[in-house]
Amino acid sequence: FDMAGCNAKNSTECDFLIIGENFIVVIEVKNTTFTSTTNGDDNPLIAFEKSLVQRHRVRELIKSIHPDATLLLFTAFPSMHSTIFNQFNDSQSFVTTITETDKESMIFKDDLKYFSSWWLNNV
């Protein structure tokens, strides 16, 4: 499993759909990078909020086709370490707050280094 092709900011975002015997995993990829002037679509919090909308749409589509499917939805930030995201999140004031459940659905660059371990713990 390799997200390396989705790592560069200028590349097209590559989303993943993994179909197992008893589950479906959707990974929405967001190629955001953090700088001191990050705003708009480059803002990781805004990118995450947009991914939640996209994930909801995918959930509705899959559930309309297979209502009994076990569905796991994640958002990957392959260009960002979790510590950078957390620092950014702590420094911002948004109406929408990132919940613990939201945090558990995020995949960061540091998770991808040992993706097999992440997979075993989260899927």
Side-chain angles (χ1 to χ4, degrees), residues 48-58:
F48 181 68
E49 288 177 346
K50 287 183 176 184
S51 81
L52 292 177
V53 171
Q54 190 114 354
R55 286 167 37 178
H56 176 75
R57 289 179 186 147
V58 170

Side-chain angles (χ1 to χ4, degrees), residues 80-99:
M80 183 176 290
H81 289 283
S82 59
T83 53
I84 300 297
F85 183 90
N86 291 335
Q87 289 172 2
F88 185 80
N89 187 29
D90 292 344
S91 69
Q92 302 296 306
S93 58
F94 281 87
V95 174
T96 303
T97 56
I98 305 292
T99 66

Side-chain angles (χ1 to χ4, degrees), residues 35-74:
T35 66
S36 59
T37 59
T38 297
N39 59 29
D41 287 341
D42 284 338
N43 179 311
L45 296 176
I46 292 172
F48 181 68
E49 288 177 346
K50 287 183 176 184
S51 81
L52 292 177
V53 171
Q54 190 114 354
R55 286 167 37 178
H56 176 75
R57 289 179 186 147
V58 170
R59 174 190 305 275
E60 294 302 309
L61 174 63
I62 292 171
K63 289 294 188 177
S64 72
I65 297 167
H66 188 343
D68 298 328
T70 298
L71 188 57
L72 303 167
L73 303 169
F74 299 96

